[in-house]
Amino acid sequence: MTTTSNRPRRIIAFMNQKGGVGKTTTTVNLAAAFARAGRSTLLIDLDPQAHATLHVGIDPAALETSVYDVLVDDKIDVASVIRRTRDNLAVLPALTDLVAAETELATVPDRQKRLEKALNTLGDKYEFVLIDCPPSLGLLTLNGLAAAREVIIPMQAHFLALQGVGKLLETVALMSQGLNTKLRVTGTVLCMHDGNLMHSKEVVADLEQFFDAARDQETPWRFARVLRPFIRRNIKLAECPSFGQTIFEYAPAAPGAADYRDLADGLIKEWDAMLLRQGITPPVAQVPVAPAPEQTDRAPEIIVPASNQSSKSPAAVAKA
Ligand SMILES: Nc1ncnc2c1ncn2[C@@H]1O[C@H](COP(=O)(O)OP(=O)(O)OP(=O)(O)O)[C@@H](O)[C@H]1O
Ligand SMILES: [Mg+2]
């Protein structure tokens, strides 16, 4: 059954076909920051690696259903698959079986719209919906792009990364000309950033120049920008997934927490301004945000496989 949305939702796909650039770290910690700001948030793990699911502390062994079931079985009620993990933070989790969905859906006519259809049944229950896409431009990512209104590109400030962005934008453009005409690129989040490197500064300048040059063209990235702040390299961000904790729980005083909090604040302010322009009052925080717990030194509950820092599927594509 489809529920009509009354209030606008901000549905964002975090996408980059290059592996290990900070997609999951950004999606999880931004989702946590939105939730801590009192905004009803849904985090969707669309990656068979299930890193976002592990990052928020969900035990895969305890799951009977996951996003795989939502995609392949349209009789499943997505609400029954969603897990509430923290105040204002719900998760549509993934298991490694998600890898089979691409093959199983290969001949299904509406295969790129499965996630969108499922999300439509939720109405406006979640104001912010953040989708962690896998490092590929396959059917799972296309489901994310069909369901989203916005794309945010987590990336590192490397010259080769810029080339990958060209291929990624091509995919977004194709999607916006067909299945999802409302899709827009909001911008890039620079992850593991070292602002002192001349190389990083040059890449940032290149990116800004690229987006500025597109301002008067009818592209989905016409209003895109290099989002601030940049996310500094911070070991605490790499450690917290092993504890099933977000950075705000694991190391609330770390630079990584400050960066993601500031990034979320900027995105919330911009969203609230848009709501006000439409005559909609932004929701007030539904729960007082509890002070973050001190960092613990308890043993890890969940061991996340060492993430692959190297590129898994870098597309050899010309710079856009
Ligand atoms: N700002 C940061 N500082 C230090 N380490 C980071 C930072 N951001 C991410 N990492 C670490 O870098 C690795 C890759 O990050 P992440 O898993 O978020 O990338 P990804 O793009 O989701 O990867 P994949 O393509 O495999 O899904 C992880 O080990 C993560 O903990
Ligand atoms: Mg990931």
Side-chain angles (χ1 to χ4, degrees), residues 152-168:
I152 287 182
I153 307 164
M155 60 180 289
Q156 286 176 261
H158 296 159
F159 284 122
L160 286 175
L162 281 178
Q163 295 189 326
V165 169
K167 175 68 182 168
L168 186 164

Side-chain angles (χ1 to χ4, degrees), residues 11-85:
I11 308 181
I12 312 173
F14 291 79
M15 169 198 181
N16 193 332
Q17 76 277 15
K18 186 163 165 56
V21 292
K23 291 182 290 293
T24 303
T25 307
T26 299
T27 316
V28 167
N29 289 303
L30 264 188
F34 291 143
R36 293 170 67 83
R39 313 305 278 257
S40 173
T41 303
L42 174 65
L43 166 67
I44 299 178
D45 190 350
L46 210 48
D47 185 353
Q49 297 180 100
H51 284 173
T53 302
L54 293 164
H55 198 326
V56 294
I58 292 177
D59 176 4
L63 291 177
E64 279 169 20
T65 52
S66 67
V67 68
Y68 164 83
D69 300 278
V70 173
L71 293 176
V72 300
D73 180 356
D74 43 21
K75 286 181 214 64
I76 290 251
D77 177 11
V78 62
S80 71
V81 183
I82 290 172
R83 298 276 167 272
R84 189 171 182 274
T85 63

Side-chain angles (χ1 to χ4, degrees), residues 3-311:
T3 311
T4 328
S5 269
N6 297 317
R7 295 184 65 91
R9 295 181 297 174
R10 190 163 188 183
I11 308 181
I12 312 173
F14 291 79
M15 169 198 181
N16 193 332
Q17 76 277 15
K18 186 163 165 56
V21 292
K23 291 182 290 293
T24 303
T25 307
T26 299
T27 316
V28 167
N29 289 303
L30 264 188
F34 291 143
R36 293 170 67 83
R39 313 305 278 257
S40 173
T41 303
L42 174 65
L43 166 67
I44 299 178
D45 190 350
L46 210 48
D47 185 353
Q49 297 180 100
H51 284 173
T53 302
L54 293 164
H55 198 326
V56 294
I58 292 177
D59 176 4
L63 291 177
E64 279 169 20
T65 52
S66 67
V67 68
Y68 164 83
D69 300 278
V70 173
L71 293 176
V72 300
D73 180 356
D74 43 21
K75 286 181 214 64
I76 290 251
D77 177 11
V78 62
S80 71
V81 183
I82 290 172
R83 298 276 167 272
R84 189 171 182 274
T85 63
R86 291 152 176 84
D87 283 342
N88 296 321
L89 183 58
V91 179
L92 177 53
L95 294 171
T96 48
D97 65 356
L98 181 55
V99 76
E102 301 226 358
T103 325
E104 287 178 39
L105 289 172
T107 54
V108 176
D110 70 344
R111 60 187 171 278
Q112 297 179 353
K113 308 274 269 179
R114 309 291 285 198
L115 182 66
E116 183 194 3
K117 286 185 176 167
L119 290 188
N120 283 341
T121 67
L122 295 171
D124 60 4
K125 186 166 167 47
Y126 302 102
E127 186 185 15
F128 288 84
V129 179
L130 278 68
I131 307 172
D132 183 26
C133 294
S136 78
L137 297 176
L139 185 55
L140 291 168
T141 295
L142 294 181
N143 262 272
L145 292 181
R149 290 289 290 271
E150 294 175 52
V151 175
I152 287 182
I153 307 164
M155 60 180 289
Q156 286 176 261
H158 296 159
F159 284 122
L160 286 175
L162 281 178
Q163 295 189 326
V165 169
K167 175 68 182 168
L168 186 164
L169 292 177
E170 253 174 48
T171 306
V172 174
L174 282 176
M175 184 60 80
S176 75
Q177 287 154 17
L179 279 184
N180 187 354
T181 52
K182 294 186 170 155
L183 190 64
R184 297 286 174 269
V185 179
T186 298
T188 56
V189 175
L190 290 168
C191 299
M192 296 172 247
H193 197 71
D194 185 346
N196 293 323
L197 296 178
M198 184 53 72
H199 177 69
S200 304
K201 289 180 188 156
E202 285 169 9
V203 172
V204 172
D206 265 13
L207 264 177
E208 288 187 320
Q209 201 179 20
F210 171 77
F211 287 141
D212 283 345
R215 299 283 174 237
D216 53 358
Q217 296 163 21
E218 282 300 321
T219 64
W221 52 93
R222 187 176 175 189
F223 301 109
R225 60 212 194 277
V226 181
L227 295 166
R228 300 309 202 268
F230 306 145
I231 310 300
R232 287 165 282 180
R233 187 175 285 281
N234 177 209
I235 189 66
K236 298 290 180 199
L237 283 167
E239 288 169 2
C240 59
S242 316
F243 293 83
Q245 292 181 345
T246 70
I247 192 66
F248 306 107
E249 297 151 347
Y250 180 68
D259 291 346
Y260 279 114
R261 192 182 305 114
D262 290 349
L263 182 61
D265 282 353
L267 291 168
I268 290 173
K269 274 201 193 100
E270 160 201 272
W271 176 245
D272 285 353
M274 190 282 297
L275 292 179
L276 287 168
R277 280 198 301 277
Q278 293 190 9
I280 302 166
T281 313
V284 285
Q286 292 148 17
V287 287
V289 176
E294 289 303 309
Q295 183 180 334
T296 65
D297 57 359
R298 66 194 167 90
E301 289 168 351
I302 291 168
I303 306 299
V304 178
S307 185
N308 185 355
Q309 283 275 359
S310 66
S311 165

